[in-house]
């Protein structure tokens, strides 16, 4: 064995970029935003599309299962729903004040030197509002969102001319990889949805299933919360350009507060 080859490999991070889902990944599903979102969708189906109130809940579930989202399903079925109107109704009235600042998560993200990108099915306005509420508005290099995945939707002459593209479709994963300009094999994708994680893995991304305690076959890693990343994927924090001494001092100064606080919460 060559004496120098092993240390270099050992101390080179396998990741150039991290792709983060937003909702229920960067804040807890227990906050209640998801539930409020479901109620707003059902109200949209009743008030804007004329469905009976008793059918709204079942229809929402059916549209989600079959088409990936209510908006995707409604447009596929020929309802001329403007995406901005839909998002304004469904997301615009969410109780954002329930999302609290998360300084621990902020410190953790700020300690990651690689590119960090949001990859969400939500619209950009929602993504920015949520990031501002958590205090993460300056922690990401880019936001890949509904508008990135569906650039032509506002130009369509009929509702089903351009099918709505969202995770977990393979098309959505490919658009995101293209937009982020990353090598999927050197990119870590974090999401709370197992179908999204499976889709990510199928296009070659390394994957972290968030919000679960037990590892599933789809995810390379599993974390109950993103703040536990240092314990589960410590190789994120290794920089190929660090000398040994820099590595040790950087590792201590940047990781200690994160590790201390995560240990308390773990
Ligand atoms: Mg999510």
């Amino acid at each position: 064995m060559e004496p120098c080859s092993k240390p270099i490999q050992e101390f080179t991070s396998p990741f150039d970029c991290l792709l983060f889902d937003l909702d229920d990944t960067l804040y807890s599903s227990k906050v209640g935003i998801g539930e409020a979102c479901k109620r707003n969708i059902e109200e949209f189906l009743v008030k804007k599309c004329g469905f009976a109130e008793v059918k709204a809940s079942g229809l929402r579930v059916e549209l989600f299962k079959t088409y990936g989202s209510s908006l995707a399903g409604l447009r596929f079925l020929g309802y001329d729903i403007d995406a901005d109107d839909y998002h304004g109704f469904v997301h615009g009235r969410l109780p954002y004040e329930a999302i609290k600042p998360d300084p621990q998560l902020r410190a953790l993200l700020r300690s990651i030197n690689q590119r960090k990108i949001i990859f969400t099915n939500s619209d950009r306005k929602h993504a920015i509002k949520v990031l501002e509420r958590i205090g993460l508005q300056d922690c990401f290099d880019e936001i890949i969102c509904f508008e990135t995945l569906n650039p032509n939707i506002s130009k369509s002459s009929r509702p089903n001319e351009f099918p709505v593209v969202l995770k977990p479709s393979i098309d959505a994963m490919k658009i995101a990889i293209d937009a982020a300009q990353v090598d999927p094999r050197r990119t870590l994708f974090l999401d709370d949805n197992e179908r999204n994680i499976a889709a990510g893995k199928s296009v070659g991304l390394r994957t972290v299933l968030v919000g679960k305690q037990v590892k599933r076959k789809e995810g390379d890693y599993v974390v109950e919360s993103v703040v536990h990343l240092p314990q589960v994927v410590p190789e994120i924090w290794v920089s190929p350009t660090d000398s040994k001494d820099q590595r040790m001092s950087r590792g201590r100064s940047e990781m200690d507060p994160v590790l201390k606080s995560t240990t308390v919460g773990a």
Side-chain angles (χ1 to χ4, degrees):
M1 185 186 294
E2 289 176 31
C4 293
S5 62
K6 196 170 178 231
I8 289 169
Q9 278 182 347
E10 248 178 30
F11 293 110
T12 300
S13 172
F15 308 116
D16 297 330
C17 179
L18 285 82
L19 285 181
F20 291 87
D21 173 49
L22 179 70
D23 297 298
D24 298 347
T25 291
L26 292 183
Y27 66 92
S28 167
S29 58
K30 291 174 190 150
V31 168
I33 294 293
E35 288 308 310
C37 197
K38 285 176 190 168
R39 285 196 297 275
N40 288 349
I41 293 171
E42 287 164 20
E43 205 179 321
F44 186 91
L45 292 171
V46 174
K47 289 193 175 159
K48 303 284 183 180
C49 306
F51 290 104
E53 214 167 325
V54 287
K55 290 194 172 170
S57 176
L59 180 62
R60 176 185 57 72
V61 173
E62 206 49 49
L63 290 172
F64 179 75
K65 274 191 196 161
T66 312
Y67 303 99
S69 82
S70 295
L71 175 64
L74 288 168
R75 287 185 63 91
F76 184 84
L77 296 171
Y79 287 83
D80 193 5
I81 309 293
D82 179 80
D84 289 340
D85 290 348
Y86 175 85
H87 287 131
F89 194 97
V90 169
H91 289 154
R93 305 174 311 139
L94 288 173
Y96 287 106
E97 65 282 358
I99 303 174
K100 304 296 179 203
D102 189 342
Q104 187 184 349
L105 177 58
R106 180 181 167 81
L108 177 117
L109 291 171
R110 300 284 290 181
S111 75
I112 297 173
N113 288 330
Q114 288 94 330
R115 286 174 70 217
K116 295 173 289 293
I117 296 175
I118 294 288
F119 176 24
T120 175
N121 280 343
S122 296
D123 59 300
R124 186 169 295 271
K125 261 189 200 166
H126 171 78
I128 290 170
K129 263 190 210 164
V130 170
L131 290 175
E132 282 174 353
R133 287 297 309 173
I134 314 175
L136 306 178
Q137 63 273 22
D138 55 350
C139 292
F140 294 92
D141 299 283
E142 203 176 324
I143 296 175
I144 295 171
C145 57
F146 180 88
E147 290 88 341
T148 324
L149 301 174
N150 299 279
N152 295 317
I153 202 160
S154 58
K155 298 173 202 152
S156 54
S157 56
R158 55 176 206 283
N160 50 11
E161 184 179 4
F162 301 111
V164 172
V165 176
L166 296 170
K167 291 183 282 183
S169 83
I170 299 301
D171 282 347
M173 306 311 297
K174 288 180 177 169
I175 291 170
I177 288 168
D178 228 41
Q181 296 188 302
V182 290
D183 175 353
R185 294 163 302 176
R186 294 190 54 81
T187 302
L188 194 62
F189 170 50
L190 303 94
D191 200 300
D192 65 288
N193 182 300
E194 287 172 45
R195 289 171 65 204
N196 293 349
I197 286 293
K201 203 159 173 56
S202 76
V203 294
L205 292 161
R206 305 294 305 281
T207 55
V208 182
L209 181 61
V210 178
K212 305 282 187 296
Q213 289 177 319
V214 181
K215 194 173 175 305
R216 317 285 161 100
K217 65 179 186 312
E218 293 85 4
D220 295 311
Y221 306 92
V222 62
V223 290
E224 211 174 337
S225 159
V226 172
V227 294
H228 298 150
L229 272 180
Q231 291 91 339
V232 180
V233 200
E235 54 268 40
I236 292 169
W237 282 268
V238 180
S239 163
T241 55
D242 286 348
S243 72
K244 192 177 177 190
D245 288 347
Q246 282 171 330
R247 270 198 312 269
M248 291 177 76
S249 62
R250 191 178 70 102
R252 282 198 193 106
S253 63
E254 290 185 9
M255 294 289 291
D256 274 5
V258 172
L259 285 169
K260 260 182 209 155
S261 49
T262 51
T263 308
V264 171

